[in-house]
Amino acid sequence: MASDVDTAPLVGRAELVQTVRSALLGDVAQGQTAAVFLTGESGVGKTRLLGEIGVRLRETGALVLTGSCLDIGDASPLHPLLQALRRFDADLTAAQARTSSAVRGLLQVFADETGGPDGAGTLLERVSRGLHLIAEGRPLVLILDDLQWVDRSTRQLLLYLLAGLGDLQLSVLAAVRAESLQGAHPLRRVLTELRRLRTVRVLDLSPLDRADTEQLAAAVVGRALPAEAAEQVWQRSGGNPFVIEELARDLRDGRDGLSETLREIFLDRVDALPQHAHAVVHAVAAGVEPVQHWLLAEVLRLPEDELIDAARAAVAHRLLVGADDGYRLRHRLVAEVLAHELLPAERSGLHRRYAEALTAAPGELRQARLAHHWRLAGEPARALPAAVGAAQEAERLHGYAEAHRHWTAALQLAGDSGSSQVDRVELLGNAAEAAHHCGEHARALALLEELAAVRGGGPRCSLHIRRARYLAAAGRSALAEKEYERALDAADCSPRDRATAAARLAELLLHLGRYADAGRRAREALALAAEVEGSTTEVVLASSALGFSDAYLEDPDAGLAVMRQALETAERSGQPEDVACAYLHLAELLTGPLNILEEGVVVARRGAERVAELGLGRTWETRLLAIATNGLFRVGQWAEAEKVVAAALRHRPSGADAVELLLARCRLSVGYGDIAAADRDLEAVATVLAGGGARHVIPLLTLRAGLSMWEGRHDVARQAVQRGLTESRSDDVTILSALVWHGLRAEAEAHASRTVAVDPTAVRRLRDVADRVARKSASAARPVRSVVDGFLALCAAEVSRLDSSDPELWAASVAEWDRRNHPYPAAYSRLRQAEALLARRSRVATAGKLLREAYRVVQGLGAVPLTSEIRELAGRARVSLDERDGADGTRAAASVEPADDELAALTAREREVLALVAEGLTNREIGQRLFISERTIGVHVSHIFDKLQVRTRVQASAIHLRNARG
C-alpha cells in the first residue's frame, strides 16, 4: 500500500537538491564514479530528500535503484541491493523485457552463489557486470537509505564500485543517521576513507533555520502562525522537520496542551489511533522493517479487511509509511518511544508471533530475522539454529564479519539455552575461523583458547597448528614458531598434520628472515607431503619457502623457477590462501633481495588484485600492497607509493598485516620528514611486535634511527641501532647492512654536529658487523651481494666522515646506487661527496653540479629534510642550485624558462596540493582528500612556497590560477 505522507512541501533544501544532483551527474566525467552521503540527526529529512532527488534524477534519464538497510545489524549480506533490484523489476513493463531479463539474471547470481572465502571478489565483479547490463549505457544511481545499518558485504561492494574497480558509471546517494556513527562503528571508518576521494562528498543535513521552520509549519497548518505559536514550534522542534510537522499538525487539528517532550507527542498520536491501528503501529515498531503485509497479518491475526483499515488509519495519522515491499514507521523515533510502552510479556509475545510466522513461511535470507525475533521472544534454544543458519548464509556470500557476528551470537544463545544438543566445540571453531578470516586476530585467539579448554584432553597437534596460524597472523611470530614446534613434537600428530606444521613453519621462518632454516624445513615438508594425498597447500607453502631460500642463498634463477611453479600450482588448486602466499613471497623476493623492482611492483599489484577477488582483501591484499609500496619507494615513485598505501589502509588491517603496511608508510614519512606521523606508526608497530622476530624488528629500529637523526637525536639513533644488532638470527644481510649504515651515519652526524660525543666502542662494533656482513654476503646469490655492496659502500664512506670525509668513497657510493636505480641513497651520497669536496676546497664546480643533481632528485621526491640539508650546504658554499646556472654560477640566457611555466619546478603531488590550496581547502581538508596526514600536507605547502618564492596561500593560489587560465 503506497502512503501519502509527503504532502508537506520540501522547505529549505532547494540549493542542496541542486548540489547533490550536480555532484552525482553534472560534474562526473564519463566512466567515473561519484557519491554523496547525507548525514544528519533523526527526523532531519534525509529520507524525504532521497525521494525528491531520486525523482529529479529519473527526469534526467538516469536509472535509479532504491534500497534500504535492515535495522538488526549485519543481518543479510547485500540486502539493500537485492531489495533495490526486486523493486525495480516489479516496476518494469512488458516492453522492458530485456532489462527485466538482466535484472533477474543478476538476482540469479545471488541465488547460485556458493560459500567459501574464494569467491567474494568474483561476486563483486559479477555484480558490477550485471549492473552494467541493467544500465544499458545510462547513468546508474544507487540510492540507499539508513546506511548506518549497512552490512559489511554491501560496504565492500560500495568501496569496490566507488574505487572505479567495476566497469560501470555509477553514482551513489545514501542517507546515514549521524547519531548512530559513534565509537568504532564500521561505517564511520568507511566514510572517513571515502570522503578523501575527489568524487565523494559527505554532506551534513542541518536542521532548518527559524525562517524555514515557520514556512514549513505554516504550510502544514494552512495559514501563517501567530508569533507565539511560531516561537513555540521553533523552540520545541529545534528545526527538525519531522518534529515541526508533527507540532504543526497538532496546532492545525486543535490538539492543545501537549507535553514538553517529543515522546509524549508520539504517544498522544498513537493513543489517538483506532484499536487495531494502535496494534499495527506497535507490531511494525517491534518488527524488522520493512514489515511485509502478509507477515503483519500473521502477527496480528486480524481479518484482511480490518487489517487494511487499521493500516490505512496508521498511514493517515502519519505514523506509518506503506510501500509495495511493506510498512515502515515514518520515523524510527516512534519505535524508541513505543519500546517502553509495552509490558515485557507483550513485547516477547510480539516477537514470538513474528518468529512463528517466519518459521512457517521459510524464505531466503530470513535466518537473521528469525534469530533476532526468537532471541527477543526469550527462546534462545529456538534462536540458536537460526543464528547458525544466518552465519552460514553470510559465509556463502563471503560476509565473514557478519558470519563472525552470528557465530558469536550463536555461542551466547547456546549458553543461554543450556542445550546439551549443541556442539559447542563446533561453534567455537567456526567462530574462531571466521574471526581469523575477517582479520580479528585477537578475538580468534581468545576463542581458540576457549575451544582448547572445552576440548580438554582432545587432539593437541591440530590445536597447536591452528594457534600458530592465528599467532603468526597477529604478528606474534616467536610464539607462533614455538607452537609449530610443539605440533611437530605432539604424539597425536598425523602424517598430514606433520606435513602441514612443517610447511607452515618453513613459511614462518621465511618471514623471520631465517632463510637457511626455512629451506631445511621446506625440504622436510615436501618430503612429508609426498606421502600424503591432497597436500597441495603444503606443497605450495613449502615450495615458496624453498624457492625464496634458494634464490637468496644460492641460485636466483633456480629459486625463481621454483616460486613461479608454486604460483601455478596454487592457481590450479584455487585455494585463496595458497594463491596469496605464492604471490606474496614472489613479490617479496623480486622487490627485496633480487632488486628486480619494476617487475616486483607489478607482481605485487597483480597479486593484490587477485587476492581481492578471492575475498582476502583485509589480510593478504594489504600485505601485497605494502610490498608494492616499498618497491615504489625504492625506485623513487613516492607519490604513487602514497596512493597505494592509502588504498591498503581502507581495509583497516591488524596484526602482521598492519605491521607490513605501517612500516611501508613510515618509510615514506621519514623520507618526507613527517616526524609525528612516522613516530605514531613506529609506536604502533612496536606494540604489535612484542613477540616478533628480526624480519620486522630490524627494519623498525632502522627507521627509528633514521627518524631520530632527522630530529638531531643522534644518541637515540645509536641506541636503536645497538638494539637491532642483538637480533642476530636473521640471514637477511640486506636489512642488517642497512642497519649498520644507519649506525655509522649516526656516529658521523654526532661528530659533525658536535652535540653528542662519538662512541668509539659503538663504531668499532659496527665496523666489525660490517665486515661480518661482507663475509656472509660473499656466499649469497649475486643480486643479494649487489644490494649489500651498496650499503657497505655507504658504511665505508660514513666512517671516513669521522676523520676527513673522502670524496672518492662517496663517489663510489653514488655509482653503486645509480647502478641499482635507487635515487634516494644516490642523492644522499652526492650531497656527502659535494660536502667532502667543498671541505677540501677543491673541484668546487663539481661540488656544485653534484648538489644540483641531488637537489633535483630530492625535490622530485619531496624529501624535505634532505632538501633542507642540501640548501644549507649550498648556502654556506654560495653554490646556486638552479639548474639554469652554468658551472661558474651565471645564468645562461638561452636556457631561461618562459615566464608562463611558473609551476615547472613542482612535483606532481605538489601540483595536486596547490590546486586544492587554490580551492580554499585547509591542510586538514587537503589531507583527507589526498589520503595524507595534515602534517605531511604542511610539509608540501612549505615546499611549494619555497619553490614559488611566495609567503602566503593567497600568493600561491594566484600563481596557480594564472597558470590554469594559460
Side-chain angles (χ1 to χ4, degrees):
M1 180 190 299
S3 63
D4 182 31
V5 299
D6 289 326
T7 56
L10 188 67
V11 174
R13 307 298 192 199
E15 183 176 349
L16 181 62
V17 169
Q18 183 59 38
T19 298
V20 173
R21 181 185 174 281
S22 297
L24 294 178
L25 294 182
D27 300 334
V28 182
Q30 183 67 30
Q32 287 190 346
T33 61
V36 173
F37 294 91
L38 298 176
T39 67
E41 63 177 338
S42 300
V44 80
K46 301 181 294 297
T47 301
R48 172 71 190 281
L49 201 56
L50 293 186
E52 186 74 21
I53 295 171
V55 170
R56 302 282 183 90
L57 294 175
R58 288 189 183 94
E59 291 172 351
T60 66
L63 190 153
V64 179
L65 300 177
T66 62
S68 300
C69 302
L70 294 177
D71 63 344
I72 55 173
D74 286 326
S76 301
L78 299 175
H79 167 79
L81 178 60
L82 287 165
Q83 182 190 63
L85 290 170
R86 291 182 182 123
R87 285 178 175 175
F88 180 65
D89 187 45
D91 291 336
L92 293 174
T93 65
Q96 298 170 300
R98 179 177 175 182
T99 303
S100 181
S101 176
V103 173
R104 292 173 185 177
L106 182 52
L107 288 171
Q108 191 63 38
V109 166
F110 295 101
D112 295 342
E113 187 64 25
T114 57
D118 59 341
T122 303
L123 177 62
L124 296 180
E125 184 179 348
R126 293 172 70 187
V127 170
S128 174
R129 192 180 305 120
L131 291 174
H132 181 78
L133 292 174
I134 293 169
E136 297 180 306
R138 291 173 290 175
L140 176 64
V141 181
L142 181 60
I143 297 181
L144 301 176
D145 201 3
D146 288 327
L147 201 68
Q148 69 275 1
W149 294 319
V150 68
D151 60 276
R152 176 163 179 158
S153 297
T154 304
R155 293 199 304 269
Q156 290 175 335
L157 177 64
L158 289 177
L159 287 170
Y160 179 88
L161 295 175
L162 291 177
L165 300 178
D167 183 19
L168 183 69
Q169 180 174 355
L170 173 80
S171 296
V172 174
L173 173 62
V176 186
R177 186 183 292 185
E179 60 264 34
S180 297
L181 302 184
Q182 301 297 321
H185 193 291
L187 186 61
R188 186 179 183 182
R189 299 194 297 268
V190 171
L191 289 177
T192 298
E193 298 300 331
L194 282 177
R195 72 192 309 161
R196 297 174 180 173
L197 298 177
R198 293 180 182 274
T199 55
V200 173
R201 299 186 67 178
V202 179
L203 303 178
D204 184 54
L205 199 56
S206 302
L208 301 179
D209 60 22
R210 178 161 184 161
D212 287 333
T213 296
E214 289 190 31
Q215 181 183 346
L216 177 58
V220 172
V221 173
R223 63 181 185 278
L225 271 64
E228 182 178 350
E231 175 65 16
Q232 185 182 37
V233 170
W234 166 247
Q235 291 295 333
R236 297 178 67 190
S237 71
N240 185 292
F242 173 70
V243 182
I244 294 169
E245 292 181 31
E246 295 302 311
L247 293 172
R249 289 189 182 97
D250 289 338
L251 290 171
R252 181 193 63 194
D253 298 336
R255 284 188 288 270
D256 297 324
L258 294 175
S259 64
E260 292 294 323
T261 65
L262 183 62
R263 174 185 182 83
E264 291 171 339
I265 292 175
F266 284 129
L267 290 176
D268 277 350
R269 181 68 68 194
V270 173
D271 289 341
L273 290 171
Q275 179 181 357
H276 292 327
H278 189 278
V280 165
V281 173
H282 274 284
V284 173
V288 177
E289 296 181 347
V291 178
Q292 297 95 327
H293 184 80
W294 70 265
L295 181 56
L296 190 62
E298 292 291 327
V299 170
L300 293 177
R301 301 166 186 168
L302 291 172
E304 181 69 6
D305 290 345
E306 292 184 22
L307 177 60
I308 290 177
D309 288 343
R312 190 184 301 278
V315 169
H317 281 74
R318 310 284 176 166
L319 288 167
L320 285 191
V321 176
D324 291 340
D325 60 348
Y327 300 102
R328 293 175 176 80
L329 294 172
R330 186 168 184 267
H331 200 287
R332 289 302 300 175
L333 287 175
V334 176
E336 297 169 19
V337 171
L338 296 182
H340 302 285
E341 296 305 306
L342 294 178
L343 295 172
E346 290 178 297
R347 283 198 302 273
S348 63
L350 268 176
H351 287 293
R352 178 183 297 278
R353 293 199 294 275
Y354 267 115
E356 289 172 344
L358 289 168
T359 302
E364 61 175 336
L365 299 179
R366 286 181 180 153
Q367 295 292 352
R369 294 190 182 204
L370 272 175
H372 171 75
H373 287 301
W374 279 127
R375 178 177 60 83
L376 293 179
E379 294 277 4
R382 304 186 72 173
L384 176 56
V388 171
Q392 293 168 342
E393 283 179 354
E395 287 179 339
R396 186 173 66 85
L397 290 175
H398 321 293
Y400 299 113
E402 296 95 324
H404 174 228
R405 185 187 301 273
H406 291 311
W407 286 122
T408 302
L411 282 168
Q412 180 64 46
L413 290 166
D416 293 343
S417 67
S419 173
S420 60
Q421 299 178 354
V422 177
D423 188 347
R424 187 168 180 81
V425 170
E426 182 179 354
L427 290 179
L428 285 166
N430 286 328
E433 198 66 14
H436 172 67
H437 278 303
C438 70
E440 297 292 341
H441 304 304
R443 178 61 178 160
L445 284 165
L447 289 166
L448 190 63
E449 293 310 309
E450 188 176 349
L451 173 63
V454 171
R455 284 173 56 172
R460 307 302 300 172
C461 182
S462 59
L463 192 64
H464 285 308
I465 293 173
R466 203 168 182 182
R467 184 181 290 118
R469 285 174 52 222
Y470 296 175
L471 285 167
R476 299 163 69 181
S477 305
L479 295 175
E481 181 182 358
K482 292 178 182 178
E483 285 298 315
Y484 282 131
E485 296 286 0
R486 291 189 183 107
L488 290 168
D489 293 338
D492 64 347
C493 196
S494 67
R496 174 174 295 282
D497 284 343
R498 195 172 298 279
T500 299
R504 291 193 176 277
L505 177 56
E507 202 253 347
L508 176 65
L509 292 170
L510 192 64
H511 279 297
L512 296 177
R514 290 159 54 188
Y515 305 131
D517 291 341
R520 284 192 292 272
R521 284 294 188 183
R523 289 185 175 88
E524 175 188 342
L526 289 171
L528 291 167
E531 304 297 324
V532 180
E533 290 186 8
S535 55
T536 303
T537 295
E538 290 74 16
V539 169
V540 170
L541 292 174
S543 297
S544 296
L546 179 61
F548 197 113
S549 175
D550 285 350
Y552 191 96
L553 299 172
E554 299 175 15
D555 187 340
D557 293 334
L560 274 174
V562 172
M563 298 188 75
R564 295 187 197 280
Q565 182 61 44
L567 179 56
E568 291 178 9
T569 302
E571 288 284 16
R572 284 197 302 271
S573 75
Q575 291 297 319
E577 290 200 2
D578 294 353
V579 174
C581 177
Y583 266 114
L584 180 78
H585 294 313
L586 180 58
E588 279 184 322
L589 181 65
L590 291 170
T591 58
L594 298 190
N595 198 44
I596 309 175
L597 298 174
E598 289 78 5
E599 181 184 355
V601 170
V602 170
V603 169
R605 295 180 110 169
R606 184 189 304 140
E609 293 175 3
R610 180 73 177 105
V611 299
E613 293 173 359
L614 298 173
L616 300 176
R618 188 181 180 194
T619 52
W620 294 91
E621 183 190 2
T622 297
R623 295 168 73 176
L624 281 159
L625 290 177
I627 292 170
T629 301
N630 289 332
L632 291 167
F633 176 84
R634 291 180 182 119
V635 297
Q637 296 183 31
W638 290 12
E640 181 64 19
E642 276 189 283
K643 296 177 182 178
V644 172
V645 82
L649 282 168
R650 295 176 194 165
H651 293 300
R652 310 297 298 181
S654 62
D657 312 314
V659 168
E660 300 276 7
L661 193 60
L662 291 174
L663 287 175
R665 185 170 68 174
C666 185
R667 288 186 184 92
L668 287 165
S669 297
V670 172
Y672 284 136
D674 191 344
I675 293 172
D679 191 62
R680 284 195 302 270
D681 284 344
L682 290 176
E683 289 298 323
V685 171
T687 301
V688 177
L689 289 184
R695 180 70 182 278
H696 290 135
V697 171
I698 290 180
L700 165 69
L701 294 171
T702 302
L703 287 168
R704 172 61 71 190
L707 181 64
S708 298
M709 280 186 274
W710 287 138
E711 294 178 289
R713 301 163 63 197
H714 308 306
D715 53 338
V716 175
R718 174 190 297 151
Q719 293 167 9
V721 171
Q722 293 302 314
R723 279 185 55 203
L725 293 178
T726 63
E727 296 285 347
S728 57
R729 297 186 67 189
S730 175
D731 297 325
D732 198 330
V733 289
T734 304
I735 62 173
L736 190 57
S737 60
L739 179 71
V740 174
W741 167 47
H742 277 69
L744 289 170
R745 179 183 161 201
E747 299 299 335
E749 295 289 350
H751 174 74
S753 66
R754 304 183 187 280
T755 56
V756 179
V758 174
D759 186 342
T761 303
V763 173
R764 187 163 51 252
R765 184 184 183 192
L766 288 165
R767 296 182 70 173
D768 290 343
V769 175
D771 291 340
R772 287 203 306 273
V773 167
R775 291 193 298 271
K776 197 169 184 179
S777 67
S779 61
R782 180 182 52 78
V784 177
R785 292 199 305 272
S786 177
V787 175
V788 172
D789 286 346
F791 283 113
L792 292 178
L794 282 167
C795 290
E798 296 288 5
V799 170
S800 76
R801 289 178 69 196
L802 295 173
D803 183 15
S804 176
S805 190
D806 188 342
E808 297 305 318
L809 290 175
W810 287 111
S813 180
V814 169
E816 290 282 353
W817 292 108
D818 277 346
R819 187 161 57 248
R820 289 161 186 77
N821 189 30
H822 286 239
Y824 185 74
Y828 173 80
S829 299
R830 282 185 169 86
L831 164 64
R832 295 298 173 222
Q833 184 185 358
E835 183 180 57
L837 289 171
L838 292 170
R840 298 185 178 198
R841 298 181 181 177
S842 64
R843 298 164 58 192
V844 175
T846 301
K849 180 181 178 182
L850 288 166
L851 286 175
R852 283 189 288 274
E853 290 174 350
Y855 187 68
R856 174 177 51 80
V857 170
V858 297
Q859 285 267 69
L861 295 175
V864 174
L866 196 53
T867 300
S868 298
E869 223 180 306
I870 292 171
R871 283 204 197 102
E872 183 182 351
L873 177 60
R876 292 200 313 266
R878 297 185 178 181
V879 171
S880 172
L881 295 176
D882 196 322
E883 293 278 1
R884 296 169 290 186
D885 286 348
D888 60 355
T890 61
R891 179 68 54 88
S895 67
V896 174
E897 298 284 347
D900 61 351
D901 193 16
E902 296 174 279
L903 306 182
L906 302 186
T907 66
R909 174 63 89 188
E910 289 164 352
R911 287 172 184 256
E912 285 184 286
V913 172
L914 177 58
L916 296 175
V917 168
E919 289 183 21
L921 273 64
T922 65
N923 286 0
R924 179 186 295 275
E925 292 168 335
I926 296 172
Q928 291 173 343
R929 185 78 65 87
L930 298 180
F931 305 101
I932 309 174
S933 72
E934 182 180 0
R935 183 179 293 272
T936 300
I937 292 298
V939 171
H940 282 309
V941 171
S942 176
H943 210 172
I944 291 167
F945 285 6
D946 185 65
K947 289 182 179 182
L948 299 181
Q949 298 183 3
V950 298
R951 300 179 63 182
T952 69
R953 299 170 84 92
V954 173
Q955 292 171 330
S957 299
I959 293 176
H960 168 78
L961 295 173
R962 184 164 61 242
N963 282 266
R965 287 194 298 270

Coordinates of all heavy atoms in Angstrom, one line a residue, residues 834-871:
A834 N 79.7 16.1 -2.4 CA 79.9 17.6 -2.5 C 80.4 18.2 -1.3 O 81.3 19.1 -1.3 CB 78.6 18.2 -2.9
E835 N 79.9 17.7 -0.1 CA 80.4 18.3 1.2 C 81.8 18.0 1.4 O 82.6 18.9 1.8 CB 79.5 17.6 2.3 CG 79.8 18.1 3.7 CD 79.0 17.3 4.7 OE1 79.0 16.1 4.7 OE2 78.2 18.0 5.4
A836 N 82.3 16.8 1.0 CA 83.7 16.4 1.2 C 84.6 17.3 0.2 O 85.7 17.7 0.6 CB 83.9 15.0 0.9
L837 N 84.1 17.5 -1.0 CA 84.9 18.3 -1.9 C 85.0 19.7 -1.5 O 86.1 20.4 -1.5 CB 84.3 18.3 -3.3 CG 84.4 16.9 -4.1 CD1 83.5 17.0 -5.3 CD2 85.8 16.6 -4.4
L838 N 83.9 20.3 -1.0 CA 83.9 21.7 -0.5 C 84.8 21.8 0.7 O 85.4 22.9 0.9 CB 82.5 22.1 -0.2 CG 81.6 22.3 -1.5 CD1 80.1 22.5 -1.1 CD2 82.1 23.4 -2.4
A839 N 84.8 20.8 1.6 CA 85.6 20.9 2.8 C 87.1 20.9 2.4 O 87.9 21.5 3.1 CB 85.3 19.7 3.7
R840 N 87.4 20.3 1.3 CA 88.8 20.3 0.9 C 89.1 21.5 -0.1 O 90.2 21.6 -0.6 CB 89.1 19.0 0.1 CG 89.0 17.8 1.0 CD 89.4 16.5 0.3 NE 89.3 15.3 1.3 CZ 89.9 14.2 1.1 NH1 90.7 14.0 0.0 NH2 89.7 13.2 1.9
R841 N 88.0 22.2 -0.4 CA 88.2 23.4 -1.2 C 88.8 23.1 -2.6 O 89.6 23.8 -3.1 CB 89.0 24.5 -0.5 CG 88.4 25.0 0.8 CD 89.2 26.1 1.4 NE 88.5 26.5 2.7 CZ 89.0 27.4 3.5 NH1 90.2 28.0 3.3 NH2 88.3 27.7 4.6
S842 N 88.3 22.0 -3.1 CA 88.8 21.5 -4.4 C 87.6 21.2 -5.3 O 86.5 20.7 -4.7 CB 89.7 20.3 -4.3 OG 89.0 19.2 -3.8
R843 N 87.7 21.4 -6.5 CA 86.7 21.0 -7.5 C 85.3 21.5 -7.1 O 84.3 20.8 -7.0 CB 86.6 19.4 -7.6 CG 87.9 18.8 -8.1 CD 88.0 17.3 -7.9 NE 87.0 16.6 -8.5 CZ 86.7 15.3 -8.3 NH1 87.4 14.7 -7.4 NH2 85.7 14.7 -8.9
V844 N 85.3 22.8 -6.9 CA 84.0 23.5 -6.5 C 83.0 23.4 -7.5 O 81.8 23.2 -7.2 CB 84.3 25.0 -6.2 CG1 83.0 25.7 -5.8 CG2 85.3 25.1 -5.0
A845 N 83.3 23.4 -8.8 CA 82.4 23.3 -9.9 C 81.7 21.9 -9.8 O 80.5 21.8 -10.0 CB 83.0 23.6 -11.2
T846 N 82.5 20.9 -9.6 CA 82.0 19.5 -9.5 C 81.1 19.4 -8.3 O 80.0 18.8 -8.4 CB 83.1 18.5 -9.3 OG1 84.0 18.6 -10.5 CG2 82.6 17.1 -9.2
A847 N 81.4 20.0 -7.2 CA 80.6 20.0 -6.0 C 79.2 20.7 -6.3 O 78.2 20.2 -5.9 CB 81.3 20.7 -4.8
G848 N 79.3 21.8 -7.0 CA 78.0 22.5 -7.4 C 77.1 21.6 -8.3 O 75.9 21.5 -8.1
K849 N 77.7 20.9 -9.2 CA 77.0 20.0 -10.1 C 76.3 18.9 -9.3 O 75.2 18.5 -9.5 CB 77.9 19.5 -11.2 CG 77.2 18.5 -12.1 CD 78.2 18.0 -13.2 CE 77.5 17.0 -14.1 NZ 78.4 16.4 -15.1
L850 N 77.1 18.3 -8.3 CA 76.6 17.2 -7.5 C 75.4 17.7 -6.7 O 74.4 17.0 -6.5 CB 77.7 16.7 -6.6 CG 78.8 15.9 -7.3 CD1 80.0 15.7 -6.3 CD2 78.3 14.5 -7.7
L851 N 75.5 18.9 -6.1 CA 74.4 19.4 -5.3 C 73.2 19.7 -6.1 O 72.1 19.4 -5.7 CB 74.9 20.7 -4.6 CG 75.9 20.6 -3.4 CD1 76.3 21.9 -2.9 CD2 75.2 19.8 -2.3
R852 N 73.4 20.2 -7.3 CA 72.2 20.5 -8.2 C 71.5 19.2 -8.6 O 70.3 19.1 -8.6 CB 72.6 21.3 -9.4 CG 72.8 22.8 -9.1 CD 73.0 23.6 -10.4 NE 74.3 23.3 -11.0 CZ 75.5 24.0 -10.7 NH1 75.4 24.9 -9.7 NH2 76.6 23.7 -11.2
E853 N 72.3 18.2 -8.9 CA 71.8 16.9 -9.3 C 71.0 16.3 -8.1 O 69.9 15.7 -8.2 CB 72.9 15.9 -9.7 CG 73.5 16.3 -11.1 CD 74.7 15.4 -11.4 OE1 75.1 14.6 -10.5 OE2 75.2 15.4 -12.5
A854 N 71.6 16.3 -6.9 CA 70.9 15.8 -5.7 C 69.7 16.6 -5.4 O 68.6 16.0 -5.0 CB 71.9 15.8 -4.5
Y855 N 69.8 17.9 -5.6 CA 68.6 18.8 -5.3 C 67.4 18.5 -6.2 O 66.3 18.4 -5.8 CB 69.1 20.2 -5.4 CG 68.0 21.2 -5.0 CD1 67.7 21.4 -3.6 CD2 67.4 22.1 -5.9 CE1 66.7 22.3 -3.2 CE2 66.5 23.0 -5.5 CZ 66.1 23.1 -4.2 OH 65.2 24.1 -3.8
R856 N 67.8 18.3 -7.5 CA 66.7 18.0 -8.4 C 66.0 16.7 -8.0 O 64.7 16.6 -8.1 CB 67.3 17.9 -9.8 CG 66.3 17.4 -10.9 CD 66.9 17.4 -12.3 NE 68.2 16.6 -12.3 CZ 68.2 15.3 -12.3 NH1 67.1 14.6 -12.3 NH2 69.4 14.7 -12.3
V857 N 66.7 15.7 -7.6 CA 66.1 14.4 -7.3 C 65.3 14.5 -6.0 O 64.1 14.1 -6.0 CB 67.2 13.3 -7.1 CG1 66.6 12.0 -6.5 CG2 67.9 13.0 -8.4
V858 N 65.8 15.1 -5.0 CA 65.0 15.2 -3.7 C 63.8 16.1 -3.8 O 62.8 15.9 -3.1 CB 65.9 15.5 -2.5 CG1 67.0 14.5 -2.3 CG2 66.6 16.9 -2.7
Q859 N 64.0 17.1 -4.7 CA 62.8 18.0 -4.9 C 61.7 17.2 -5.5 O 60.5 17.3 -5.2 CB 63.2 19.1 -5.9 CG 64.0 20.2 -5.2 CD 63.1 21.3 -4.7 OE1 62.4 21.1 -3.7 NE2 63.2 22.5 -5.3
G860 N 62.0 16.3 -6.5 CA 61.0 15.5 -7.2 C 60.4 14.5 -6.2 O 59.2 14.2 -6.3
L861 N 61.2 14.0 -5.3 CA 60.7 13.0 -4.3 C 59.8 13.7 -3.2 O 58.9 13.1 -2.7 CB 61.8 12.3 -3.6 CG 62.7 11.4 -4.5 CD1 63.9 10.9 -3.7 CD2 61.9 10.2 -5.0
G862 N 60.2 14.9 -2.9 CA 59.5 15.6 -1.8 C 60.2 15.3 -0.5 O 59.6 15.4 0.6
A863 N 61.5 14.9 -0.6 CA 62.3 14.6 0.6 C 62.7 15.9 1.3 O 63.8 16.4 1.1 CB 63.5 13.7 0.2
V864 N 61.9 16.4 2.2 CA 62.1 17.7 2.8 C 63.4 17.8 3.6 O 64.2 18.7 3.5 CB 60.9 18.1 3.6 CG1 61.1 19.5 4.3 CG2 59.7 18.3 2.7
P865 N 63.7 16.9 4.6 CA 64.9 17.0 5.4 C 66.1 17.0 4.5 O 67.0 17.8 4.8 CB 64.8 15.8 6.3 CG 63.4 15.4 6.4 CD 62.8 15.7 5.0
L866 N 66.2 16.1 3.6 CA 67.4 16.1 2.7 C 67.5 17.3 1.9 O 68.6 17.9 1.6 CB 67.4 14.8 1.9 CG 68.7 14.4 1.2 CD1 69.8 14.3 2.3 CD2 68.6 13.1 0.5
T867 N 66.4 17.8 1.4 CA 66.4 19.1 0.6 C 66.9 20.2 1.5 O 67.7 21.0 1.0 CB 64.9 19.4 0.2 OG1 64.4 18.3 -0.6 CG2 64.9 20.7 -0.6
S868 N 66.5 20.3 2.7 CA 67.0 21.4 3.6 C 68.5 21.3 3.8 O 69.2 22.3 3.8 CB 66.3 21.3 5.0 OG 64.9 21.5 4.8
E869 N 69.0 20.1 4.0 CA 70.4 19.9 4.2 C 71.2 20.3 2.9 O 72.3 21.0 3.1 CB 70.7 18.4 4.5 CG 71.7 18.3 5.7 CD 72.1 16.9 6.0 OE1 71.1 16.1 6.3 OE2 73.3 16.6 6.0
I870 N 70.7 20.0 1.8 CA 71.3 20.4 0.5 C 71.3 21.9 0.4 O 72.4 22.6 0.1 CB 70.7 19.8 -0.7 CG1 70.9 18.3 -0.7 CG2 71.2 20.4 -2.0 CD1 70.1 17.5 -1.7
R871 N 70.2 22.6 0.7 CA 70.1 24.0 0.7 C 71.1 24.7 1.6 O 71.7 25.7 1.3 CB 68.7 24.5 1.0 CG 67.7 24.3 -0.1 CD 66.5 25.3 0.1 NE 65.4 24.8 -0.7 CZ 64.3 24.2 -0.2 NH1 64.3 23.9 1.1 NH2 63.3 23.9 -1.0

